[in-house]
Amino acid sequence: MSEETMAIPLPPSGFDLPEDRFIDRELSWLAFNERVLELAEDENLPLLERVNFASIFASNLDEFFMVRVAGLKRRIATGLAVISSSGFSPEEVLSHISRAAHQLQERHAKVFLEKLQPALAEKRIQIVSWDSLDDSEKENLAEYYRKQVFPILTPLAVDPAHPFPYISGLSLNIAVMIKHPTEDGHLFARVKVPPTLDRFVKVTGTKFVALEEIIGEQLGSLFEGMEILQHHNFRVTRNEDLYVDEDEAENLIQALEEELARRKFGPAVRLEVSKTIDPEVLALLKEELGIEDDDDIYHLEGPLDLTGLSTITKINRGDLRYPPHNRITNRYLKPVMENEKSIFQAMRERDILLHHPYESFTKSVQAFIEAAAEDPKVFAIKQTLYRTSGDSPIINALIKAANAGKQVLVLVEVKARFDEENNIAWARILEQAGVHVVYGIVGLKTHCKLAMVIRQEEGRLKRYCHIGTGNYNPTTARFYEDYGLLTSRDAVGEDIAKLFNRLSAYAEDLSFSELLVSPVGVRSGLTKLIEAEAKNAMEGKPSGIQLKLNSLVDEEIIDSLYRASKAGVPIDIVVRGMCALKPGLPGLSETIRVRSILGRYLEHSRVFRFLNNNDPILYIGSADMMHRNLDRRVETLVRLRQADHLREMEELFRLSMSDSSSSWHLAGDGKWLRNAGQSSQGLVDVQEQLMMRTLQSGFSN
């Protein structure tokens, strides 16, 4: 059952909860992306970082339309959509989305044209129009066009012999109206801007012009002998969500590959056009692309597709970036890096809590897998892979281990959204190397981040494990904030071994001592812990709940938090993205505070802390509080036991919730307000503080 069609849980008898107690999740997501846009607007941030946030905003919004808006439209068309938990009908949700998205895209374009472009020019980084170039610059770009662009362009005409061409999703295109010199009427043609070339082309030094402008000025070379009447830029977003019925599929990989081939032909859900587009050209695009609602058309000033600003962010100007952070080797792994002890010895001595990217992923998690691949005492390695990098040292180490005769099992999640093709390719490479590759449990995505190494020691087999909140991806580990635990605790090893058996074969014993595992244990386990805090509060004992998440939209969990708040439990929530809970409302959520922290790193870790009468219980793991994570994914949370780890997490929440820290505060009406106004000036940067504290405890690479 999809998360949208699930029945909204009723409040328990005798407990009055208002029907309008949830913020709409789609509008909450748009509010998150608005916070990203506010970073692009923040003049106290380094300029190229602001440009990067503008690019991220555009990329985020693309995915939102490809998946969330596309899915909502599909459900409305098929009659499957239901009233949302916020009380809006599907049509109302779509209308609210359209209104907010139009405002945000227009604001985004304005930020670029009125703020970022002039600020870049002041720093001698110019994004200019073709008309502003001198003759020599135009000639140089014309030569670049002839050698590097023209050979890969394919103009496609529309006439009785040439049907309207397929327009791929997110491609930037030029609509061209042309006229034969001896015939009446005019013809339409489409030219695709090559996505393989830099979107902004260097003129000289740090002076750039948009690629589509260069092509637009050279259209005569594509339609020789014809008269170019006009040309306009446009861009289409299509439904690129993926659906495979695993119960009906005889071969999951084959079914996925077939669906991936179909995905690029999904219906159009958004049409972006230049504000000056000719009405006749727009009417043609609407008809041929199947755009029926004018609300799906976005008329924008300036260049379309500002994801292309990533070209500008690559400019080597350290003065316009965040000050560099030196990655730290975790202090308990320092002797390992200096060859004074093995990583297995370090893990036997204590649990090691890692915090990326402040602490090096390469010299901790990657080093753990590489050491296991080389160690002759290691007999087996088991690991989950959800997303990984293009040239993955982790996968290379697993292949090396298999070649050395070790038993290697890898669970590859081939349904990881937008990484399906990459993961299918990795699965085949691993299989060819002799790795045992499995794809998890039918109907469930395997989202947990687990690695287990089995090593022969003193006549017995010893398990060493890593449990993380983020993916085994050395590239994203440089800018995703995540926690990971390296442990040799026997109880954790037994739990993970049991879970791997369930994932690779058949096992029905799903009881765990140190883990909470979805789809059967995370919601129920956390609900019990929330209820225990409510009981402590009602009995006058110390109580408190602190959560750090990417998303909080599960109604059952939110209702449990509401009940705990009514019982008097202080509740602090740090959420990066969506939050459907309404904090600070009298009689419902008076004791709940919600903050959001965005910055140079993408906040990605999930942490769950319960005061438990001053004997804290704390879990970290892969699960957000969403239906899909709790009901349709295999997720794991692992309990932290060491006193220093518990203190570290307590300090994390103290810093994150401080009124002196740069953050956004969620109000009961669903509005997010930036602390102390619309800028970061004078506030403590949480990520900067965490980097400083990590520097004090470790050593620089």
Side-chain angles (χ1 to χ4, degrees), residues 364-385:
S364 55
V365 181
Q366 183 179 316
F368 170 55
I369 303 300
E370 290 175 336
E374 296 176 358
D375 190 333
K377 292 185 178 181
V378 170
F379 287 0
I381 303 172
K382 298 185 179 184
Q383 186 165 356
T384 62
L385 289 177

Side-chain angles (χ1 to χ4, degrees), residues 47-83:
L47 180 56
L48 286 180
E49 304 297 347
R50 293 172 61 196
V51 174
N52 187 47
F53 285 122
S55 176
I56 291 170
F57 169 91
S59 179
N60 285 348
L61 200 60
D62 285 347
E63 184 171 339
F64 179 73
F65 273 91
M66 286 190 294
V67 178
R68 301 303 311 172
V69 174
L72 181 58
K73 282 178 169 286
R74 174 178 53 80
R75 291 189 298 277
I76 290 173
T78 57
L80 295 176
V82 298
I83 300 295

